[in-house]
Amino acid sequence: MFKDLYDVIVVGGGHAGSEAAAAAANLGSKTLLVTMSLQNIAQMSCNPAMGGIAKGQIVREIDALGGYSGIVSDNTAIQFKMLNKSKGPAMWSPRVQSDRMRFAEEWRLMLEGTPNLDFYQEMVKGLIIENGKVLGIRTSLGLEIRSKTVILTNGTFLNGLIHIGEKQFGGGRAGESAAYGITEDLVQAGFEAGRMKTGTPPRVDGRSLDYSKMNEEKGDDVPSKFSYLDSTKPLVHQRSCHMSYTSLEVHNILREGFDRSPMFNGRIKSLGPRYCPSIEDKINRFADKERHQLFVEPEGWKTCEVYVNGFSTSLPEDIQFKALRSVAGFENVKFFRPGYAIEYDYFPPTQLRHTLETKLVEGLYFAGQINGTTGYEEAASQGLMAGINAHLKINEKDPFILKRDEAYIGVLIDDLITKGTEEPYRMFTSRAEYRTLLRQDNADFRLTPMSHAIGLASEKRLRRMEVKKTASAQMVNFFRETSVTHQEANVVLAEKETALITQSDKMFKVFSRPQIDMQDMMKFEKVKEYIATHDLDTEILEQAEVQIKYSGYIDKERNNADKLHRLEDVKIPEDFDYDKIKSLSYEAKEKFKKIRPVTISQASRISGVSPSDISVLLIFMGR
């Protein structure tokens, strides 16, 4: 049945698995995607949305690299919002509300239209590992399928255990069985494993809600999109979300169930995400708060199913129901399904290389929640990078590794490999020290040329990026070189209540003022004429504005990143003997031996390593 040798086998059909399979196949590797349910490819197990703070930047990076997440998100969006618009552009983060059923369907159809990609529905029970190298997989039916590389993207399915109040049962998510066997094989091979927890809110019948008692949350007046390609279009019509609040009455009802909560009675011992706590955790930790926000999110264009964002819980279903009925607008609520918590196996990511290949077993890659991350976007980006690197390894090409100043994806992977994680890892803008360089608007400038060089980003994508880059650079030069009279400028400056000028000046200088934006500059005839003559779109105007108004910050951050690169260039041999260095602290020595940093720069980012340890290491290496 499977006599041919595959180049890449991807285990798991979630967001990580889907991107991994697409990347490997599009690069030319003969790829097999194995999942327990072909009907649930790229399922949105939790909230029906893509993007958000820092996550939106990741989706744009995936798109710039030639992945599918941005395209699928655009084609199945029901609402678009650019978050943090009141802050600087480094913080702007796109987010879409998605049609959950259409999202999974679109992913399935795109994957089925991808050359070199085969599918098989069955549970993978184990791995074929010989002499420190992966050779394929074993299925629950006893099939052995051989492959040069294997990418594990198992999500929450590895020995998954679902909790609802006193009840617990095996499962990877609601209605689907857990996966058994892989963890045991990996532990036997020498891997360290751990347990993590995540949760999800109840889904309810939107027909039973009274939206007049809630605040309406509309999308942007002029919606944008994720993908840089012209083939996707911004939304014309959008669906609103709504917002309600819990109350002291709701909190008191929830407390009635604390003694039956698996979180508080000790049945759940693993850690969940701090930044996305369950509702019972919120009212326990923030006892002084009289209310918490609940975002009421539609699951699609036509379905009446609604996701109650902010009410993640593992309390007994009767307590969930009683408490939610005390929320404004939910007085007559009907449940589709209760919320639940799920525990699952993960493998501390310090056991990986920056390519996401494991250090212990050659040709074996981990991506997504198996690495201790949470979120569709984080998973998808890891899948993409694992798929790329598996293909490159097979073809004996240099690995594709993104640095911290090149992409949020680079920050994510470096954090995992270098620092590890003991709780579900989520990306934040604060994790990126070069976030002014890593904006959502310039992901194509940063990454498309790199991806095109390895054969993933298309020629069409590269050419579109080059046209945009040239046009925005020319517009910046236009502002640098073109003067405006003080009479013209003062009309606009007076409107914005900022200091007037007494003589003609370059438009660049006027535009650099924080009070002035592109709409103000377009009041000048020369600017209107330039835009009309060159037929510039909103994307190019926005790019030019960011480059002008934040040029000082961008240059400073670029200089800081360039200094860091000097340490990135100092490589540490893979077999380096740290025991020879007597001056190293005990903690640094143990961390270096466990993580095996590739460069001095990576070594300096390991928690517990001091600057003096790095100095000792540099001296010993003759630097």
Side-chain angles (χ1 to χ4, degrees):
M1 184 174 177
F2 288 102
K3 293 180 181 178
D4 294 338
L5 177 70
Y6 280 97
D7 294 318
V8 181
I9 290 178
V10 179
V11 180
H15 299 262
S18 296
E19 285 287 6
N26 279 323
L27 283 166
S29 283
K30 186 178 181 184
T31 306
L32 176 68
L33 176 60
V34 186
T35 175
M36 290 197 290
S37 174
L38 287 169
Q39 278 65 46
N40 293 322
I41 281 178
Q43 180 72 265
M44 289 181 141
S45 308
C46 206
N47 62 319
M50 286 291 283
I53 308 301
K55 293 168 172 279
Q57 284 88 327
I58 290 176
V59 177
R60 284 222 143 184
E61 290 177 354
I62 291 170
D63 183 73
L65 288 165
Y68 287 176
S69 289
I71 297 169
V72 173
S73 297
D74 287 344
N75 288 338
T76 59
I78 62 176
Q79 187 193 85
F80 181 93
K81 270 190 175 183
M82 185 66 77
L83 306 181
N84 280 343
K85 280 291 281 186
S86 61
K87 301 180 181 179
M91 305 298 285
W92 297 353
S93 302
R95 181 185 189 272
V96 297
Q97 199 70 28
S98 302
D99 186 313
R100 191 161 66 93
M101 289 186 287
R102 288 193 60 224
F103 185 92
E105 178 190 35
E106 180 80 0
W107 253 113
R108 166 112 182 226
L109 294 177
M110 286 194 71
L111 289 173
E112 288 185 1
T114 301
N116 305 313
L117 181 55
D118 293 343
F119 302 87
Y120 185 59
Q121 178 173 296
E122 203 193 327
M123 182 190 293
V124 174
K125 294 281 285 185
L127 300 169
I128 305 169
I129 300 171
E130 293 179 12
N131 301 319
K133 187 173 184 179
V134 72
L135 300 178
I137 61 170
R138 293 189 182 91
T139 74
S140 57
L141 291 178
L143 295 179
E144 290 195 354
I145 310 175
R146 299 277 169 160
S147 178
K148 298 174 184 175
T149 59
V150 173
I151 303 173
L152 295 182
T153 68
N154 303 84
T156 58
F157 282 78
L158 292 180
N159 294 320
L161 185 64
I162 291 174
H163 298 267
I164 303 176
E166 303 98 328
K167 305 176 183 75
Q168 60 182 47
F169 48 91
R173 61 180 161 227
E176 296 181 62
S177 64
Y180 303 101
I182 291 178
T183 295
E184 292 72 19
D185 269 14
L186 291 173
V187 170
Q188 190 174 352
F191 285 91
E192 176 192 349
R195 293 284 276 178
M196 278 190 178
K197 174 192 84 82
T198 189
T200 191
R203 270 56 160 200
V204 303
D205 188 335
R207 297 169 299 182
S208 65
L209 304 182
D210 184 352
Y211 291 105
S212 68
K213 295 182 179 180
M214 307 179 199
N215 300 326
E216 186 177 10
E217 300 285 320
K218 295 184 178 181
D220 288 348
D221 292 335
V222 183
S224 186
K225 61 193 187 81
F226 273 120
S227 181
Y228 291 101
L229 293 177
D230 293 325
S231 56
T232 66
K233 303 297 178 188
L235 286 166
V236 177
H237 305 290
Q238 302 187 67
R239 277 202 72 174
S240 291
C241 296
H242 289 79
M243 186 166 65
S244 190
Y245 295 89
T246 61
S247 64
L248 290 177
E249 180 189 359
V250 174
H251 297 179
N252 288 331
I253 294 170
L254 290 167
R255 287 190 181 97
E256 291 176 16
F258 276 13
D259 62 329
R260 300 161 63 198
S261 165
M263 231 183 70
F264 295 126
N265 63 21
R267 277 204 306 280
I268 292 179
K269 295 182 172 62
S270 46
L271 286 174
R274 261 183 307 137
Y275 38 80
C276 187
S278 63
I279 189 65
E280 55 264 39
D281 198 22
K282 285 181 193 174
I283 64 174
N284 186 52
R285 283 166 52 191
F286 308 108
D288 57 319
K289 298 278 187 184
E290 295 187 357
R291 66 177 191 171
H292 294 284
Q293 291 178 332
L294 298 179
F295 293 95
V296 184
E297 302 180 345
E299 295 260 5
W301 284 115
K302 296 178 180 178
T303 181
C304 63
E305 187 173 0
V306 168
Y307 179 88
V308 189
N309 196 338
F311 206 86
S312 176
T313 182
S314 59
L315 286 167
E317 63 274 20
D318 58 316
I319 296 291
Q320 295 184 34
F321 184 69
K322 184 179 177 183
L324 209 48
R325 280 214 156 187
S326 296
V327 173
F330 284 76
E331 293 82 359
N332 299 304
V333 69
K334 296 179 181 178
F335 270 34
F336 273 15
R337 54 188 163 112
Y340 61 88
I342 181 168
E343 289 186 286
Y344 55 93
D345 293 339
Y346 87 105
F347 292 82
T350 50
Q351 300 171 99
L352 304 177
R353 305 179 192 280
H354 276 81
T355 58
L356 300 181
E357 184 183 19
T358 67
K359 296 172 184 174
L360 271 175
V361 178
E362 186 182 354
L364 179 63
Y365 295 76
F366 293 170
Q369 284 176 288
I370 192 173
N371 289 335
T373 61
T374 182
Y376 309 142
E377 303 83 359
E378 289 88 342
S381 66
Q382 293 170 70
L384 177 76
M385 296 299 286
I388 290 171
N389 280 304
H391 167 84
L392 294 174
K393 181 180 179 68
I394 293 161
N395 290 278
E396 299 180 350
K397 294 182 178 179
D398 291 338
F400 185 65
I401 297 170
L402 295 171
K403 297 186 179 73
R404 295 182 71 91
D405 64 316
E406 292 174 334
Y408 270 88
I409 298 172
V411 174
L412 166 68
I413 293 174
D414 185 66
D415 276 355
L416 293 174
I417 306 313
T418 304
K419 300 174 183 176
T421 186
E422 294 178 353
E423 64 178 9
Y425 177 103
R426 177 191 164 173
M427 179 53 71
F428 294 105
T429 49
S430 59
R431 295 191 192 271
E433 59 270 46
Y434 303 115
R435 53 188 170 274
T436 306
L437 301 178
L438 308 182
R439 306 182 310 277
Q440 55 84 31
D441 61 89
N442 71 349
D444 54 344
F445 291 1
R446 293 184 275 120
L447 301 176
T448 297
M450 294 186 201
S451 183
H452 181 265
I454 62 170
L456 185 56
S458 65
E459 187 73 19
K460 179 181 177 183
R461 189 181 280 277
L462 180 69
R463 294 291 162 250
R464 188 187 186 284
M465 182 280 297
E466 288 173 339
V467 168
K468 173 186 164 186
K469 191 171 186 177
T470 300
S472 57
Q474 287 175 342
M475 191 171 195
V476 171
N477 286 335
F478 164 79
F479 283 114
R480 286 187 188 280
E481 296 167 359
T482 307
S483 298
V484 60
T485 66
H486 67 281
Q487 293 96 334
E488 277 184 291
N490 285 339
V491 173
V492 173
L493 297 177
E495 284 179 7
K496 287 302 182 84
E497 299 180 350
T498 183
L500 306 183
I501 59 177
T502 57
Q503 59 185 25
S504 297
D505 209 340
K506 296 298 183 186
M507 285 189 174
F508 188 95
K509 195 170 179 182
V510 174
F511 202 174
S512 297
R513 295 193 183 194
Q515 302 89 346
I516 305 301
D517 58 26
M518 183 63 81
Q519 294 302 313
D520 297 318
M521 298 304 294
M522 288 170 66
K523 293 173 183 176
F524 300 133
E525 286 301 322
K526 289 178 182 176
V527 176
K528 283 194 286 188
E529 184 181 332
Y530 183 90
I531 292 171
T533 303
H534 293 81
D535 192 26
L536 302 181
D537 60 23
T538 305
E539 204 174 329
I540 292 169
L541 299 182
E542 181 183 279
Q543 185 62 224
E545 181 170 3
V546 169
Q547 289 182 34
I548 291 168
K549 298 186 76 64
Y550 296 89
S551 58
Y553 298 104
I554 292 169
D555 291 343
K556 183 179 179 181
E557 217 159 81
R558 182 74 270 156
N559 288 335
N560 289 339
D562 290 341
K563 289 176 185 175
L564 181 73
H565 283 174
R566 296 170 195 168
L567 292 179
E568 288 285 2
D569 291 337
V570 184
K571 305 290 184 187
I572 303 173
E574 192 170 345
D575 58 352
F576 190 85
D577 185 1
Y578 294 99
D579 288 323
K580 290 190 302 186
I581 312 178
K582 305 302 181 187
S583 312
L584 276 179
S585 69
Y586 177 79
E587 184 177 5
K589 195 175 293 185
E590 291 304 302
K591 292 283 180 69
F592 289 156
K593 286 158 67 176
K594 179 180 180 181
I595 295 170
R596 310 301 307 184
V598 177
T599 67
I600 292 291
S601 180
Q602 185 195 354
S604 70
R605 294 191 293 272
I606 298 173
S607 59
V609 173
S610 69
S612 62
D613 291 320
I614 297 301
S615 297
V616 169
L617 193 55
L618 280 168
I619 291 167
F620 195 85
M621 293 179 66
R623 298 289 181 139

